[in-house]
Amino acid sequence: MTEARGSTGQRDGMGAVRRTPGTPCWVSLMAHGLAATQEFYGALFGWEFRPGPDQLGPYVRALLDGHEVAGIGQLPPDHHLPIAWTPYLASDDVDATAESVRHCCGTLGVGPLDAGPAGRMAIASDPAGAVFGIWQAAEHLGAGLVGVPGAPAWNELVTPETAGVLKFYEAVFGYTEEAVVSADFDYVTLQVDGRPVASVHGVGQALPRDRGPHWMTYFEVADVDESVERVTELGGHVVSSARAGTHGREATVADPEGAVFTLLRSES
């Protein structure tokens, strides 16, 4: 459940490493109530917050033990977009990647544009409609911690069937793939430099109609059941109860504004 690391070895002051293109490097949430959202995740994961960059409006970076792990921004009051966690995939040239997205029948929703000295970004969706970000790092290389309690651990694309979108992601990001050989389990691991970095899960008719295809962010926790209780105490709710999953014990929950994510206790 650890992500592939880039080969350059460049680190920033927050412990982050420059990632190989295609590797998930950051997760970000756009919410209506920035203060209330910070309070929820701070209480759940022990996050502290640092403001900025604010090129796209009010935005904070979540810190865990002094390392940046995620971002939370505030949606303008007149924007009624779905509240969802969005993974950002690393790119050495966001403009070229954005052009590849268009060429492969994806859609650009935002950018490419500069996020100040932090880097350059775009937000796109694949041909099935799942939204993801693209990040070209400058000063901000991405998450400084992964796979430890309170930090992102994995990203999974949930879609009706894998075959329809795999060609898109392979063409845009150069992934290789490793499929689970099973007659009734449509699951593929995306790899960069031979290392697993994300997965694609085809769920057929089980795809939630109110969400459509989407990327799911997994956050590592020390105890899934205790974390589920904490979510409900803090005003969130349970989407799928704790269970044995592909990567360990997991439960899918939502924050008070409805952003869905998965709590994970990885198998050792």
Side-chain angles (χ1 to χ4, degrees):
M1 293 303 295
T2 57
E3 62 180 356
R5 295 292 190 172
S7 58
T8 65
Q10 179 182 349
R11 289 182 178 270
D12 65 8
M14 305 305 296
V17 175
R18 183 175 296 277
R19 271 73 169 190
T20 304
T23 307
C25 59
W26 189 244
V27 290
S28 190
L29 171 67
M30 298 299 290
H32 290 293
L34 184 57
T37 301
Q38 289 180 73
E39 185 176 348
F40 173 85
Y41 287 99
L44 180 61
F45 293 136
W47 290 351
E48 298 177 338
F49 299 91
R50 174 178 297 168
D54 56 3
Q55 279 73 19
L56 301 179
Y59 191 86
V60 297
R61 288 161 290 169
L63 277 69
L64 180 67
D65 296 330
H67 298 277
E68 294 180 357
V69 293
I72 302 174
Q74 182 167 313
L75 284 169
D78 56 343
H79 282 53
H80 302 287
L81 301 173
I83 309 299
W85 281 99
T86 301
Y88 281 73
L89 309 177
S91 170
D92 285 341
D93 186 336
V94 70
D95 295 83
T97 302
E99 184 57 35
S100 182
V101 166
R102 290 198 242 354
H103 180 73
C104 296
C105 301
T107 303
L108 265 295
V110 176
L113 51 82
D114 288 327
R120 189 163 170 80
M121 61 161 285
I123 297 177
S125 57
D126 66 27
V131 176
F132 61 94
I134 308 165
W135 183 252
Q136 180 182 336
E139 290 184 1
H140 177 66
L141 300 183
L145 286 176
V146 293
V148 300
W154 192 247
N155 290 280
E156 182 169 282
L157 173 61
V158 184
T159 193
E161 46 88 26
T162 62
V165 295
L166 280 175
K167 291 181 179 178
F168 169 83
Y169 286 99
E170 290 167 357
V172 174
F173 294 104
Y175 295 126
T176 56
E177 62 181 70
E178 181 178 347
V180 173
V181 180
S182 173
D184 58 355
F185 191 50
D186 186 11
Y187 188 92
V188 175
T189 300
L190 301 177
Q191 298 185 335
V192 171
D193 295 336
R195 288 179 260 181
V197 298
S199 52
V200 183
H201 190 185
V203 297
Q205 297 299 315
L207 186 72
R209 292 185 179 181
D210 59 340
R211 299 196 65 199
H214 59 277
W215 279 91
M216 174 71 74
T217 297
Y218 288 65
F219 290 98
E220 189 76 20
V221 293
D223 187 304
V224 169
D225 298 88
E226 288 183 3
S227 296
V228 167
E229 290 184 10
R230 189 71 174 133
V231 165
T232 57
E233 290 171 357
L234 294 168
H237 68 272
V238 179
V239 176
S240 296
S241 300
R243 61 201 181 276
T246 306
H247 305 291
R249 187 164 177 77
E250 61 187 52
T252 302
V253 297
D255 69 19
E257 285 201 24
V260 177
F261 58 98
T262 296
L263 302 167
L264 173 70
R265 177 67 170 93
S266 296
E267 294 175 342
S268 56

